[in-house]
Amino acid sequence: MTEIKQLRKSLGYLLIGILLSLSAFAQEGQKVVGTVTADGEPLIGVAVYEKDVPSNGTITDMDGNYALTLKGANAVLVFQYVGYGKQEISVNGLSKINVSLSQDSEMLDEVVVVGYGTQKKVNVTGSVGVADMKELEERPVQNVSQALQGLVPGLNLTANSNGGKLDNSLSVDIRGVGSIGDGSTASPLVMIDGVEGNMNALNPNDIESISVLKDVASSSIYGSRAAFGVILITTKSGKAGKTNVNVSSNVRFDAPINLPHTLDSYRFAQYFNAAGANSGIGAIFSDETMQRIIDYQKGLITDGTIAVDNVWQLDQYSNANTDWYRTLYKSWSPSYETNASINGGNDKITYYFSGAFLNQGGRLNYGNENLNRYNINANINANLSKYISVNYAMKWTREDYKQPTYLSDIWIYNICRKWPTKPVKDPNGFYQNGSDIPELVDGGQSKYQTDYLYQTIKFKITPLEGWTINLEGNYYTRTQFGHSEVLPVYMHYADGTPFLVGIGYDVAGTSKVTESAVKENSVW
């Protein structure tokens, strides 16, 4: 009898398993329809998808209806909508599933920076992107725009024609370029604590949050200036409690990536000779020069050029093998940064003070390029009474930048034009004409000192519960002093005799100094 009972029990388990398998098989490929509502009203655009097959999904139509053909067995449907709690419902053979979603109070109370202050996420109209501040703080970069690369979807930051110059700022656009013609730009409006400003003048360690308003609806707040989006930056403020002091320093090394190589001189000469033959003008490089190129690459000769009538023969008569990108740029450049901050307070007053210093080394092998940046930041909040509170914020930045005067906007273009057959130095050890090195080293320096000062004072008055009066005043000033000099530059004949050359459009031997001063003020 015991054996018979055990057999019946096993047959029962087997039958249950067969039925469950048949049920799962029947469910796979099944079509499920239904309606999604909230408070009795249909919800448009609710995401409906299989939990185990997220790629199989749909959204509700204008009437809140959906239809979905299942792909997996034992399917569980997920219903998700911004501002509402997510629901997961097992299908279990049902062909119609109606769902009522409830508002998620935690999501609705989440605060994001938008407009002139903060709003609950439920009140945000338009697409908003928020940068991950932890990741931003961990990036050892020179400025905020470099730190934002890749952090916010739809926020594009690209290098312009100035490339890796230390005073260069990345070009910024949201959702792609939307310029309507020459002379117009598609750059977004940058607001720092409610004041339009330069985000690259900020110390990234002082930033509390960054929100990106991608929708043109932001123009309803900021006007036509916000047609290409808005970047809202909020800096740190004090928090009540014990005083916190933070000090950090770092040394880092920058290396250029994707730096191209100059073609080796032998293949370069072959291409030019083929081009000359195809155009009918004949070979550019003679057989004698081609042989010298081969001998130079093999190390059989050390001179990269020859002299005729006391003049070095360059380009098509030279035989060097110069990789100009690796010659003119460093393999790496150092930089140093230190930050210090103190914050604290009580229920009456809170404060945040910070200071920072950055020394960014240049990337040129020749000439002196350097950037120093100094930051001071202060943010004080005080409750003057039960009805009145005041906030004062100040940000001061100084940038000292210097570069060789010859380092123009077409610097990379000039490197691209250099032939690898041209040597860096002549056989006497002097830098060759056309290498641009004498101009970088001896042609003079350009120096710029730029100060940014932002000051804001805000009063918040609450005479009655539910009635708040905000009074705000902002002052911004930018001051820049520039000094640029052009000094005589000498090259050398084959016998070592020096001679003067011109720089750009300046006559050979020219010496000149240019001084400039700019001051901008804004009050609102």
Side-chain angles (χ1 to χ4, degrees):
M1 293 295 293
T2 303
E3 293 178 354
I4 294 174
K5 289 181 179 180
Q6 186 65 35
L7 179 61
R8 287 176 178 175
K9 188 175 182 180
S10 299
L11 289 174
Y13 284 139
L14 177 61
L15 180 60
I16 292 172
I18 293 172
L19 291 174
L20 289 175
S21 299
L22 290 173
S23 174
F25 178 77
Q27 182 172 301
E28 186 174 354
Q30 174 187 345
K31 185 176 182 179
V32 180
V33 299
T35 304
V36 181
T37 59
D39 298 327
E41 297 294 327
L43 284 178
I44 306 168
V46 178
V48 183
Y49 58 91
E50 285 188 65
K51 184 176 182 180
D52 296 329
V53 192
S55 60
N56 183 35
T58 185
I59 60 173
T60 56
D61 61 17
M62 298 291 291
D63 298 317
N65 298 322
Y66 73 92
L68 184 65
T69 300
L70 305 179
K71 290 187 177 180
N74 302 316
V76 175
L77 290 185
V78 179
F79 299 83
Q80 194 167 3
Y81 193 65
V82 176
Y84 290 78
K86 180 171 67 174
Q87 283 199 36
E88 297 182 4
I89 299 177
S90 180
V91 175
N92 285 331
L94 298 174
S95 60
K96 186 174 183 179
I97 299 177
N98 294 328
V99 176
S100 178
L101 298 182
S102 301
Q103 289 186 345
D104 189 328
S105 59
E106 291 185 3
M107 292 180 65
L108 295 177
D109 289 336
E110 184 178 345
V111 173
V112 296
V113 179
V114 58
Y116 284 108
T118 58
Q119 292 285 339
K120 291 184 178 181
K121 183 173 284 188
V122 68
N123 296 328
V124 174
T125 58
S127 180
V128 179
V130 180
D132 185 337
M133 296 311 301
K134 182 178 180 181
E135 187 173 348
L136 183 143
E137 291 176 355
E138 293 175 350
R139 294 186 171 188
V141 292
Q142 177 184 322
N143 53 47
V144 175
S145 62
Q146 292 176 2
L148 280 175
Q149 286 185 297
L151 283 188
V152 181
L155 180 64
N156 308 309
L157 299 108
T158 55
N160 52 37
S161 60
N162 284 333
K165 288 178 60 177
L166 297 185
D167 68 334
N168 185 34
S169 298
L170 296 175
S171 299
V172 185
D173 68 76
I174 297 174
R175 306 180 312 273
V177 177
S179 175
I180 59 175
D182 293 340
S184 58
T185 63
S187 59
L189 173 66
V190 177
M191 301 294 289
I192 304 171
D193 291 335
V195 181
E196 183 176 0
N198 177 9
M199 63 180 174
N200 290 320
L202 289 177
N203 174 16
N205 289 276
D206 287 334
I207 297 177
E208 181 74 31
S209 67
I210 299 179
S211 298
V212 179
L213 308 186
K214 308 175 189 178
D215 198 279
V216 293
S218 55
S219 296
S220 62
I221 300 174
Y222 297 104
S224 60
R225 180 64 181 84
F228 297 111
V230 183
I231 298 176
L232 299 172
I233 300 176
T234 302
T235 58
K236 294 178 180 178
S237 58
K239 294 178 175 59
K242 64 180 181 179
T243 300
N244 293 303
V245 178
N246 296 288
V247 179
S248 64
S249 295
N250 67 75
V251 177
R252 53 185 184 257
F253 301 92
D254 296 338
I257 60 173
N258 297 327
L259 194 65
H261 286 276
T262 305
L263 192 66
D264 73 88
S265 56
Y266 183 71
R267 285 191 294 171
F268 178 88
Q270 284 183 315
Y271 279 120
F272 261 64
N273 280 349
N278 291 334
S279 65
I281 63 174
I284 306 299
F285 293 89
S286 66
D287 292 340
E288 178 186 356
T289 303
M290 293 294 290
Q291 186 58 49
R292 288 205 317 272
I293 290 174
I294 295 173
D295 292 343
Y296 186 90
Q297 291 189 5
K298 289 182 177 180
L300 301 177
I301 59 176
T302 57
D303 291 343
T305 187
I306 60 173
V308 175
D309 296 330
N310 203 27
V311 176
W312 295 114
Q313 299 296 291
L314 301 178
D315 293 336
Q316 71 191 79
Y317 300 103
S318 297
N319 52 268
N321 189 35
T322 307
D323 188 338
W324 284 105
Y325 294 99
R326 267 67 188 175
T327 297
L328 296 172
Y329 278 100
K330 296 177 180 178
S331 299
W332 52 267
S333 57
S335 62
Y336 168 78
E337 183 178 22
T338 185
N339 295 276
S341 67
I342 180 171
N343 76 88
N346 50 43
D347 58 343
K348 297 295 183 181
I349 187 170
T350 59
Y351 56 86
Y352 176 89
F353 301 101
S354 69
F357 169 71
L358 169 69
N359 173 260
Q360 178 70 56
R363 299 176 177 91
L364 292 177
N365 257 331
Y366 304 93
N368 188 1
E369 186 191 18
N370 183 265
L371 174 71
N372 288 331
R373 187 181 68 210
Y374 311 84
N375 293 91
I376 296 177
N377 185 30
N379 197 327
I380 303 171
N381 289 282
N383 295 318
L384 303 182
S385 69
K386 180 180 178 181
Y387 307 102
I388 302 175
S389 62
V390 62
N391 167 261
Y392 172 74
M394 184 276 294
K395 302 172 190 65
W396 175 81
T397 300
R398 167 167 289 181
E399 291 182 347
D400 288 324
Y401 173 69
K402 60 183 177 182
Q403 66 168 52
T405 301
Y406 182 74
L407 191 61
S408 64
D409 294 345
I410 60 172
W411 170 246
I412 295 293
Y413 169 74
N414 284 340
I415 299 177
C416 295
R417 298 170 61 201
K418 297 186 187 304
W419 291 19
T421 54
K422 185 196 299 290
V424 176
K425 291 183 178 182
D426 64 29
N428 296 322
F430 297 110
Y431 292 119
Q432 275 285 16
N433 186 10
S435 67
D436 293 339
I437 297 175
E439 290 90 340
L440 292 173
V441 175
D442 302 322
Q445 287 269 307
S446 294
K447 303 176 183 179
Y448 300 93
Q449 184 179 85
T450 307
D451 289 343
Y452 300 89
L453 177 62
Y454 300 89
Q455 294 190 87
T456 301
I457 187 166
K458 301 176 183 179
F459 289 92
K460 184 177 180 179
I461 305 172
T462 310
L464 297 173
E465 184 177 353
W467 178 20
T468 301
I469 301 172
N470 292 297
L471 301 176
E472 180 177 339
N474 300 291
Y475 173 76
Y476 160 74
T477 182
R478 181 181 78 93
T479 305
Q480 184 180 78
F481 295 98
H483 169 92
S484 180
E485 61 195 22
V486 175
L487 302 178
V489 174
Y490 290 87
M491 303 297 175
H492 296 82
Y493 291 113
D495 63 4
T497 304
F499 64 93
L500 287 166
V501 295
I503 299 180
Y505 296 104
D506 293 319
V507 178
T510 296
S511 295
K512 67 178 183 180
V513 173
T514 303
E515 301 279 349
S516 63
V518 177
K519 186 172 185 179
E520 298 176 355
N521 284 310
S522 298
V523 180
W524 64 94

